[in-house]
Amino acid sequence: MSPSITSHRILILILWIVILCGHANARFFTRDPVSDGGEAKRWESLLRLPTALTGESSCEQTYGFLPCTTTVLGNLFLIVVYGFLMFKAATFLSNGSELLLEILGPGIVGGLFLPILGALPDAMLILVSGLSGSKETAQSQVSVGMGLLAGSTVLLLTIIWGTCVIVGKCDIEGSIAIDSRDTRGFSLTGSGVSTDIWTSYAARIMVISVIPFLIVQLPQLLNSTSGRHLAVLIALIVSLCLLVAYCLYQIFQPWIQKRKLDYIKHKHVILGLLTHLKKRSLGRLLKEDGEPDKEVIKKLFATIDENQDDNLTHNELRALVIGIEFEEIDLDHDDAVRRIMDDFDTSRDQLVDQEEFVNGVCRWLQRAQRSRVPSGDAGPRTMKFLSDFHTETKREHDLLDVGGQSNEDAEGIENAKWTSIKAVLFLLLGTIIAAAFADPLVDVVDNFSDATSIPAFFISFIALPLATNSSEAVSAIIFASRDKRQTASLTFSEIYGAVTMNNVLCLSVFLALVYARELTWDFSSEVLVILVVCIALGVFASFRTVFPLWTSILAILLYPFSLALVYVLDYVFGWS
């Protein structure tokens, strides 16, 4: 039996038990059954649980049939059950999104729908936390939504981030973690992970996404009560604008990435050709004053021009390119010829004459000279600048093209029709489960808070992110454990992207609730925790691409620090 079938049967069984428990919970035994008094007392003693465990207050069933209870253990059981259902909803949405991405590829699907679908379970829980009931009930339950929002962000950037560094660690040499080489054990400085520059961009975007939190907190910082409602509206508008901007960036990012990778390939062609010409001219491409030696370049042209017609054809350039070794890149010879022809052939006649060749080589030499590192032994004729140009190109290549991305279109997916149907079914099932059980889960958290006297914020901060982010966390950790720079880059980019969606999409839902229902914004300590974690880790990851093992310890310690900070600010300093 396949794991997917088994998983679906378990899900159906749990749903059936939940419904049956709801009906069983609706049958209350009265204190006055139809019998004599002695018989009543005897049955009452058998059926009733101790008051300390059951409580005397009644509960209201969600949708009129789902189970509810006022006991600690009963609510804890329901939190586990509903949390598992939300976990399955997140898993179905994730699986459906991946299948859809395989069929339709990046762009609108990868940039617009997938980030939104990934944040859908959190958004659903936040929405129902303040949508139902009276204004007073909404004000009480909305702390569950804020706890989930803060808890998801902190969990992703602390425990999950730190765990990914630990399981994905490799030996660090220079500023790069060597793929699949882990010989230094748990060295705090010599072992860790490295990422590409795109991951740093994702971290910077994550830092920018906290702007709405700053806006909504301005009235509290200024001790103003009149502008709080307006601040919520402004923060909502800014959050929605950031959401649109982020989705557009995700849509156009593949095109931007392709252009930058194309630029690096072009620099490899320049480096390869100049290095090859340097060898053929015995290193004499420059005059005493450091200017290109055109006479030497003309002699090189004559050796390349096989038929001596003063023009270099495509085949002659290809013969030249075949002898060039392009380091650290698998560059097609025809692609290299095309790049040389595009730069040198100014007349666009598909031929490179002597003047065009000399001018083209001179331009490339001057371009490479701009990368020269100042040095006392660098005379005007030295070709050391080619070494500097090589170092610069290699560094940019390492930062951009860590995964060997191909410009070729993805191969067709087998059984695309069935895969499309399967993706849609996964998405529908995940959406239905998330929508159906978000409200019961919020109610249960609120009931558990009443039964234990633990603030609902802390319950939702710790428990709910485990349900809505479990599948994402497990897949990120497994992906990071492959000990490769490419997988580490993708893993951390997904973490930063998930936090960004929390900060724009989920916050937009939360702000819309607060504004529409005219609730009181009283979450200063929670917002401060989000700001501290996002800005601290985001700024740190924005300006570096290597993360030694010691960074994972600091990240993980941020989690208990965040909980302690909220507790101290709320219950010691009385912020809320």
Side-chain angles (χ1 to χ4, degrees), residues 16-229:
W16 184 245
I17 291 174
V18 167
I19 294 174
L20 289 180
C21 288
H23 288 291
N25 187 76
R27 297 170 186 160
F28 295 102
F29 288 93
T30 66
R31 293 179 176 270
D32 187 26
V34 183
S35 64
D36 57 31
E39 188 72 13
K41 291 180 180 178
R42 182 169 67 85
W43 281 107
E44 182 176 298
S45 64
L46 290 174
L47 293 176
R48 286 178 56 81
L49 291 174
T51 304
L53 292 177
T54 60
E56 292 296 336
S57 60
S58 61
C59 62
E60 182 179 352
Q61 293 178 310
T62 309
Y63 308 136
F65 65 91
L66 289 182
C68 70
T69 178
T70 57
T71 67
V72 174
L73 294 179
N75 280 299
L76 184 61
F77 171 76
L78 290 178
I79 287 177
V80 172
V81 172
Y82 291 146
F84 175 78
L85 292 173
M86 292 301 293
F87 162 74
K88 295 303 296 184
T91 303
F92 288 143
L93 289 170
S94 176
N95 293 340
S97 300
E98 291 176 1
L99 290 174
L100 207 60
L101 184 61
E102 287 181 9
I103 300 169
L104 302 178
I108 293 180
V109 174
L112 184 59
F113 293 116
L114 298 195
I116 293 176
L117 289 172
L120 186 61
D122 286 1
M124 287 283 190
L125 284 168
I126 292 171
L127 180 64
V128 300
S129 69
L131 194 61
S132 59
S134 63
K135 182 178 177 179
E136 291 73 19
T137 302
Q139 185 67 56
S140 172
Q141 289 191 345
V142 79
S143 61
V144 175
M146 176 52 73
L148 172 61
L149 180 59
S152 295
T153 296
V154 173
L155 179 70
L156 287 168
L157 292 179
T158 57
I159 295 178
I160 296 177
W161 192 95
T163 305
C164 288
V165 173
I166 295 172
V167 301
K169 65 182 178 65
C170 298
D171 294 347
I172 296 177
E173 291 186 1
S175 60
I176 298 176
I178 309 302
D179 285 355
S180 302
R181 195 174 85 186
D182 185 13
T183 61
R184 298 177 183 174
F186 289 90
S187 172
L188 295 180
T189 57
S191 182
V193 300
S194 59
T195 60
D196 58 15
I197 195 65
W198 305 105
T199 310
S200 297
Y201 294 160
R204 294 173 191 176
I205 293 172
M206 180 184 72
V207 173
I208 295 173
S209 69
V210 303
I211 292 177
F213 286 105
L214 295 173
I215 294 174
V216 78
Q217 282 298 119
L218 281 177
Q220 279 82 350
L221 294 175
L222 300 175
N223 292 323
S224 171
T225 57
S226 58
R228 294 191 178 187
H229 200 56

Side-chain angles (χ1 to χ4, degrees), residues 362-375:
C362 289
R363 285 196 306 272
W364 282 12
L365 281 170
Q366 291 167 353
R367 180 175 178 179
Q369 282 181 305
R370 289 195 290 269
S371 65
R372 185 196 301 267
V373 176
S375 176

